[in-house]
Amino acid sequence: MTSIGGTEMVDWNLAVATATRLVRPGPEVTRDEARAVVAELRRHAKASEEHVRGFTRLATDEAHDTPVLVVDRPGWVRANVAGFREILKPLLDKMQQRRGGGPGGAVLGAVGGKVTGVELGMLLSFLASRVLGQYETFAPATRELPAGSNGGGRLLLVAPNVVHVERELDVDPHDFRLWVCLHEETHRTQFTAVPWLRDHLEGEIQSFLAEADVDPMTVLERIREAAQSLAGGRPEGEEEDGGHSLVELVQTPAQREILARLTAVMSLLEGHADYVMDGVGPAVVPSVGEIREKFQQRRARGASRLDQALRKLLGLDAKLRQYKDGERFVRTVVDEVGMDGFNRIWTSPNTLPTKSEIAKPADWVARVHRKAES
């Protein structure tokens, strides 16, 4: 545990226990149906490797070192807590030093890591019922959750969520499962075919955290606001469109610059995955058109007012924009210079698009292609 003045900042074990206890049960399936879903997702994940590599023209031998794990909702929680714990350690250590004997110390000590763990667990229980799949880039290997041996991650497919959404959308389940796997396999291919990408992204995140100048009580307040929204309550005095995003903890100019670069990279990765799943889809997913239309409608509307409030608070609305903006960027660039021309993007960190270039793909083409040709 990371502790502050003898009091745990985040009780990670309690966060897992809370999320596991609160997470909603998945759709009703028989034992045989559950086994069939797991087996099919594994088959589709394997088949997706060839589909994605052929379409993207990104070759990689490292994917075989990256395990594919079909998990339930508690399994997703455990995997993500392990990842959060790893990547957030520098920030928590900095917050520990900042607390010292400051004015917020006594209050933070009273709140304690157990309360924070419960509140974090509440948020994870919300997210655990919504994620279909995930490539964990910075996943530490554990006995229960293996990861790539060379610093690689792992590919998670959340079986109950896949079944829930395919039923909700009323789409062909076999087509939908393959469609999901194509998206997640694209992320695995991105990181295994581009060796420098993981270290670059980790370096940016750690630089962002190193620049953080965040009061511990402010972080706790953001977590508490999210937990209160999840419980159906609204912080006293908050207006209809009020509330703060966790991303709004960004304070320094250096952080804003780093966040702009991270936003551009995430928009690229998410948009590329969407472009690939739709590009491969017509050849291997007969009902891809219906699936995409229904899924886009589901993304846009959200599930409820509560869902919309939490999406704003957690910054998930920004992620939805990343899918849209990134896919448009990739499609425009490929139309202009072809897939091989687009793949120059993976040459080095210097050829990644900026945030402004995501919005104006022609600027990236001009910078990377026209400059190289002149």
Side-chain angles (χ1 to χ4, degrees):
M1 300 297 176
T2 299
S3 61
I4 296 185
T7 302
E8 294 169 353
M9 178 62 184
V10 180
D11 189 330
W12 298 106
N13 291 334
L14 185 56
V16 171
T18 301
T20 301
R21 185 175 69 254
L22 295 180
V23 70
R24 292 182 297 180
E28 291 187 10
V29 295
T30 67
R31 187 180 298 271
D32 288 342
E33 287 173 333
R35 289 190 181 124
V37 171
V38 170
E40 184 172 21
L41 285 172
R42 286 176 176 156
R43 289 196 305 271
H44 284 333
K46 180 64 178 176
S48 293
E49 292 181 27
E50 183 177 350
H51 295 318
V52 170
R53 291 181 197 180
F55 185 81
T56 63
R57 302 179 191 174
L58 292 174
T60 172
D61 295 324
E62 297 295 326
H64 298 293
D65 185 48
T66 308
V68 177
L69 306 179
V70 182
V71 298
D72 57 10
R73 290 169 177 175
W76 179 88
V77 168
R78 288 191 293 271
N80 276 266
V81 165
F84 291 156
R85 194 172 180 176
E86 184 85 4
I87 203 71
L88 292 177
K89 187 177 185 300
L91 176 61
L92 295 179
D93 287 347
K94 186 169 185 175
M95 290 169 66
Q96 176 183 2
Q97 296 171 3
R98 172 163 181 164
R99 183 229 174 181
V107 178
L108 182 59
V111 172
K114 293 193 180 300
V115 173
T116 308
V118 168
E119 292 174 336
L120 190 58
M122 292 174 67
L123 298 182
L124 288 169
S125 72
F126 169 80
L127 295 172
S129 63
R130 283 157 174 77
V131 177
L132 300 179
Q134 176 183 356
Y135 181 75
E136 283 199 294
T137 315
F138 309 109
T142 66
R143 185 173 60 182
E144 291 182 328
L145 298 163
S149 59
N150 295 322
R154 53 181 168 240
L155 184 61
L156 303 180
L157 297 168
V158 191
N161 296 349
V162 173
V163 173
H164 171 78
V165 174
E166 71 192 24
R167 290 179 178 179
E168 178 186 319
L169 298 181
D170 190 24
V171 294
D172 182 280
H174 308 294
D175 284 2
F176 184 74
R177 293 166 194 174
L178 177 55
W179 189 70
V180 170
C181 288
L182 289 170
H183 182 102
E184 302 309 331
E185 175 57 35
T186 302
H187 286 316
R188 182 164 70 154
T189 297
Q190 290 163 347
F191 283 94
T192 54
V194 185
W196 55 264
L197 184 57
R198 179 189 182 277
D199 289 343
H200 171 71
L201 195 57
E202 183 177 21
E204 291 280 61
I205 292 172
Q206 294 304 335
S207 295
F208 179 87
L209 296 178
E211 287 287 337
D213 186 22
V214 179
D215 177 70
M217 292 308 299
T218 305
V219 176
L220 290 179
E221 183 59 28
R222 294 295 185 269
I223 294 175
R224 187 164 302 108
E225 286 180 19
Q228 288 171 330
S229 294
L230 185 61
R234 186 178 294 274
E236 184 178 356
E238 183 181 323
E239 299 297 330
E240 179 68 22
D241 293 328
H244 304 277
S245 168
L246 292 173
V247 177
E248 291 172 11
L249 293 172
V250 176
Q251 293 179 337
T252 69
Q255 275 188 305
R256 285 191 287 271
E257 290 180 8
I258 297 168
L259 184 61
R261 294 196 297 268
L262 283 171
T263 299
V265 173
M266 298 311 297
S267 296
L268 168 68
L269 298 181
E270 295 294 356
H272 185 233
D274 265 12
Y275 178 82
V276 171
M277 71 196 296
D278 287 343
V280 173
V284 297
V285 182
S287 60
V288 63
E290 177 191 3
I291 291 173
R292 164 57 73 189
E293 181 179 359
K294 290 183 175 180
F295 195 76
Q296 290 286 55
Q297 292 173 354
R298 182 180 185 272
R299 268 184 184 170
R301 67 175 180 263
S304 65
R305 177 179 170 183
L306 171 61
D307 191 37
Q308 292 169 358
L310 274 167
R311 286 193 339 191
K312 178 180 179 182
L313 186 59
L314 298 174
L316 299 183
D317 281 341
K319 185 175 178 65
L320 295 178
R321 289 193 295 274
Q322 287 172 5
Y323 284 109
K324 182 179 179 181
D325 296 345
E327 194 276 337
R328 184 174 58 246
F329 170 86
V330 175
R331 176 167 34 83
T332 302
V333 171
V334 173
D335 287 347
E336 176 73 16
V337 297
M339 185 62 75
D340 290 336
F342 168 80
N343 281 341
R344 287 196 190 179
I345 215 163
W346 311 116
T347 303
S348 75
N350 292 331
T351 54
L352 291 173
T354 64
K355 188 176 180 181
S356 64
E357 287 171 344
I358 289 288
K360 296 181 178 179
D363 290 354
W364 180 87
V365 173
R367 178 171 66 86
V368 175
H369 283 267
R370 306 290 183 261
K371 183 177 180 181
E373 293 168 2
S374 60

